[in-house]
Structure formats: structure tokens, C-alpha cells
Amino acid sequence: MPLPWRETWSMAWSALQASRLRSLLTILGIVIGNASVITLVGIGQGAQKLANEQLQSLGANVLFVVPGNDRSRRGGASRPQTLVLEDAEAIASQAPSVRRVAPQISSNRIIQVGGSSLNIPVYGVTPAFLAVRQFDVERGHFITQADLEGNRSVVVLGSALATGLSPNTDLLGQRIRIGNNRFTVIGVMAEKGSFFGENQDEVAYIPLTTMVNRVTGRDPAYGVSLNFISVEARDESKINAASFQITNLLRQRHKIPRFGEDDFIVRTQKEAAAIVTTITGGLTILLGSIGGVSLLVGGVGIMNIMLVAVSERTAEVGLRKALGARRQDVLLQFLIEAAVLAGMGGVVGSGLGLGAVALAAAVTPLPAFVGPGTVLFTVGLSGGIGIFFGVIPARRAAQLDPIVALRRL
């Protein structure tokens, strides 16, 4: 008769308690592996969530037009200057599905206030930027059409930039220096966060015309070259139509032949989100795989310890088999021991991993998190690894000849 489950479990638990230190050291490998998986997957999922939140904050009916194409960007060369201000104006006037267009020039410059100076991105923009990108002004006002037409030396500061330049003084209405020019601060933006790796709260905004005439200058070959064009479609249902119209319009303006390659890229918010999800999803899998290697190492540790235990408990196994225990009973006991070690390590490691994820979410901008499904899967995987690597020692114990084993008494 096979031994009852309760008795087999009791014997397995008693064997683990008899060698507590060895059991704890064996569990440690699984704890480290499980905590690594939970932590790394949580960070990867947090990065994916952060990227998606940033894209969604732009609105569902926003498109992005950038110079160059995927091939030129993969080549590692600087992005070609293939978009000009006239392109943005043509999109605004000739694309029926487009509501607003916000051209943009970007350049890093030194900003000085008193003895403080910072090297930060300066954006040359138009008044449409505020509505298209869904930004808000906290104090003062944004760039107006009069500022744009008059080439006025006015600037709007990001919230973090205003604080960094003058922690104790409100810069609204004050004069600051950008490069060799003086500008009057007319507004401070509300907090926005990062977008594609650039902190939007550490940026200065000036009229696009002022940017061209006093900061960057005109390109002799291209005129007013743009780094970026943000486009707002009339509504979400017009996104595809707007993308089609922009593509056709720019191909005509740039005189691209019928089967020629575009020298620009038009991305919708959904396409950008899909790309980001693919990248961050791959990152999450990579990070989880790195943690999984630690779990495998822990499983090998369980196998080694169980093999040692089998050799040390040969007499015990022989005595049990002499008293009527079958191979299945011995096999089951050793498998239970391996599964308990791995399962306990999985539970403790998951707790440590969840703590590390919560700490990362608390001290960094990354909204790291792990779903309950991931935790249950990881704990189950730990137990499965314990059983998998416990099979060889368990089979060796079950195949011991009781007569040979009893000689060890």
C-alpha cells in the first residue's frame, strides 16, 4: 500500500527541518532568482506604462512629422534637414483633415540668470504649440501671434527650469540671457514630465521667428529648417486621412518620384505607441530572461543539494523500503522536498521583488509595477523548477537497492 499523502508530506518536512541551514542556503538561490525576475519585469512593465502614458497625454488625434527616414536614422548619421517652414504652412492650408500645425526648431543654448547658467534645449515654436501638444501655462501667458510677427525677445520657461535658474525668485517679468541675447520671461509652464527621454519641464520656449533671426539663423540651402512638426487632426476618425494627405503633399513638395523613398516620416500617436510597446515589451522579456537565468541557477543548486541528501540518507531510504515503502513513495517524498524548497524560495523572493518594485516606484519617476498574474506565474515557475531539478535525485533515491542501502546502517 502506498503511504498516505499526509504521512509522506510529514516525513519530507521533518527531513527539511533536520537540516535547516542546508535548506536555507538552498532556498537562497531561488529567492535571489525569483526576486530578480519580479524586480526586472516590474521595471520593464513600468517603462512600458510610462511611455504609453506620455504618448496618450498628447491626445489621440496627434501626428508627428520628422525629417529623414528609417534607413537614414539607422545609419547613425545626423538627421537630414528635409523639412522647412513652408512645409508646415502647406500642411496647415492644404490638408483638409488637419486642424492645427505646430512647427518646431530645437537647439541647445546657455541660459543665464545672475550667476546661474544652464545648458538646456530651447524650442522655437508658434502659438499653436500649446493647443496641439496639450500643454498648460501655470503663470503668465504663452507666446502670442503678435510675439511671432514682431520677432519679440520673449521666453516661456518650463517649471523645473524656472526653479533651477532662480529657486527663491519669481522670474516672471524678469530679463534673462539666452546665448548672446536678452529675453523677457512672459510665462512659466505647468509641470508636464518627460517625453521620449527629454524632460519637458527643463525647456525654454521662444517665438519661432525670433529663434530663426536671433539664435539659430537661416540655413542658406534650406531656409528655415524644422526639427519637428506636430499636427492635430480634426478628430480621431480623421487620423488616417490626415496622414495620407500629409504624405502626398510632402512628396509633391519635395519632388519625390513615384517609387522613390520618402525623406520624412509621418507617425500617428497609435503607431508611436505600437513602436514603443514593441520596444518596451522586448525589454521586459529580456529583463525577465536575465532574472530567469538566476532561477535556473537556483534550480541547479536544489539538484546538487538533493543529490548530496540522497547519498547521506541512503540508509534511511533502505530502511523505509525494507519496511514496505514503494519506489513511488520514496520518489514522491524527495520531489515534495524539492518542491517545498523551491516554493518557499519563490514566496520569499516574490515578497522581496515586490518590495524592490515598490521602492523603485517611490524613489524614481518610473511607475514600476507587477501584476498578480506575474507573481503567481513566477511562484509557480519556482515550484516547477524545483520539481524538474528534483527528479534526478528523487529517481536515484527511489532506485536504491534496500539490501545495499541497509549495509550503511
Side-chain angles (χ1 to χ4, degrees):
M1 292 291 292
L3 293 177
W5 270 90
R6 182 176 298 179
E7 183 178 347
T8 303
W9 168 266
S10 177
M11 295 179 68
W13 182 251
S14 299
L16 292 175
Q17 285 186 315
S19 52
R20 290 187 179 88
L21 181 60
R22 177 187 294 172
S23 299
L24 290 174
L25 292 176
T26 305
I27 288 174
L28 184 61
I30 297 294
V31 168
I32 294 173
N34 205 281
S36 300
V37 171
I38 294 291
T39 303
L40 294 175
V41 169
I43 291 174
Q45 291 181 343
Q48 183 172 351
K49 181 180 179 182
L50 178 62
N52 286 331
E53 286 177 350
Q54 290 176 354
L55 287 171
Q56 290 170 2
S57 68
L58 298 175
N61 57 332
V62 177
L63 303 92
F64 315 100
V65 186
V66 295
N69 50 46
D70 290 331
R71 183 173 56 82
S72 64
R73 296 174 72 182
R74 284 194 300 267
S78 59
R79 184 176 293 172
Q81 297 174 303
T82 57
L83 291 180
V84 294
L85 183 58
E86 287 78 9
D87 291 330
E89 293 171 345
I91 292 171
S93 61
Q94 299 178 37
S97 298
V98 169
R99 175 180 293 163
R100 300 184 186 94
V101 176
Q104 176 180 316
I105 302 174
S106 305
S107 180
N108 277 40
R109 288 292 186 271
I110 299 293
I111 293 187
Q112 294 178 314
V113 177
S116 300
S117 63
L118 293 172
N119 186 5
I120 55 92
V122 178
Y123 289 174
V125 297
T126 65
F129 178 90
L130 202 64
V132 174
R133 296 290 296 275
Q134 298 188 359
F135 280 38
D136 296 310
V137 177
E138 185 178 86
R139 303 191 306 277
H141 63 85
F142 198 66
I143 295 163
T144 65
Q145 189 65 28
D147 296 328
L148 192 71
E149 294 173 355
N151 296 324
R152 293 176 180 173
S153 298
V154 293
V155 60
V156 180
L157 303 177
S159 58
L161 175 59
T163 302
L165 288 172
S166 182
N168 303 317
T169 305
D170 187 357
L171 290 178
L172 196 63
Q174 303 294 317
R175 300 274 286 177
I176 67 173
R177 181 180 291 274
I178 300 179
N180 297 321
N181 302 283
R182 288 190 173 276
F183 288 76
T184 301
V185 179
I186 60 171
V188 176
M189 303 293 289
E191 186 175 339
K192 186 65 176 180
S194 296
F195 176 68
F196 286 158
E198 187 168 76
N199 190 347
Q200 300 298 300
D201 299 325
E202 296 180 347
V203 173
Y205 305 89
I206 66 175
L208 187 143
T209 51
T210 307
M211 182 80 163
V212 172
N213 294 325
R214 302 189 185 181
V215 180
T216 59
R218 295 175 181 268
D219 189 285
Y222 296 96
V224 181
S225 299
L226 302 177
N227 299 104
F228 203 75
I229 302 177
S230 302
V231 179
E232 180 187 11
R234 293 195 176 278
D235 55 62
E236 190 172 352
S237 65
K238 300 291 186 180
I239 283 285
N240 292 334
S243 177
F244 179 79
Q245 291 165 11
I246 292 169
T247 300
N248 283 345
L249 178 60
L250 292 182
R251 284 181 64 88
Q252 292 175 12
R253 288 185 51 80
H254 297 184
K255 296 180 174 57
I256 298 174
R258 181 178 180 183
F259 297 104
E261 189 174 15
D262 294 343
D263 59 2
F264 58 89
I265 300 173
V266 180
R267 297 283 191 210
T268 66
Q269 190 260 8
K270 290 182 179 180
E271 289 174 339
I275 293 172
V276 169
T277 299
T278 301
I279 295 172
T280 54
L283 174 64
T284 302
I285 293 174
L286 175 62
L287 293 176
S289 300
I290 293 173
V293 172
S294 302
L295 271 180
L296 290 177
V297 173
V300 173
I302 287 178
M303 183 174 66
N304 289 337
I305 293 298
M306 295 300 295
L307 285 172
V308 173
V310 169
S311 64
E312 290 181 348
R313 294 159 60 187
T314 300
E316 172 196 330
V317 173
L319 182 59
R320 284 193 59 199
K321 297 184 76 172
L323 293 175
R326 303 191 311 175
R327 284 188 176 187
Q328 294 91 322
D329 301 323
V330 177
L331 178 69
L332 181 60
Q333 177 184 341
F334 278 86
L335 284 179
I336 289 175
E337 291 180 24
V340 167
L341 290 174
M344 290 178 63
V347 172
V348 176
S350 295
L352 292 176
L354 289 173
V357 169
L359 180 63
V363 302
T364 69
L366 195 69
F369 76 100
V370 176
T374 302
V375 176
L376 292 176
F377 173 77
T378 308
V379 174
L381 181 62
S382 301
I385 286 176
I387 294 175
F388 178 79
F389 284 99
V391 167
I392 294 177
R395 289 189 62 186
R396 177 171 295 186
Q399 291 171 356
L400 286 174
D401 188 333
I403 297 176
V404 176
L406 286 173
R407 291 176 183 171
R408 302 287 294 272
L409 289 173

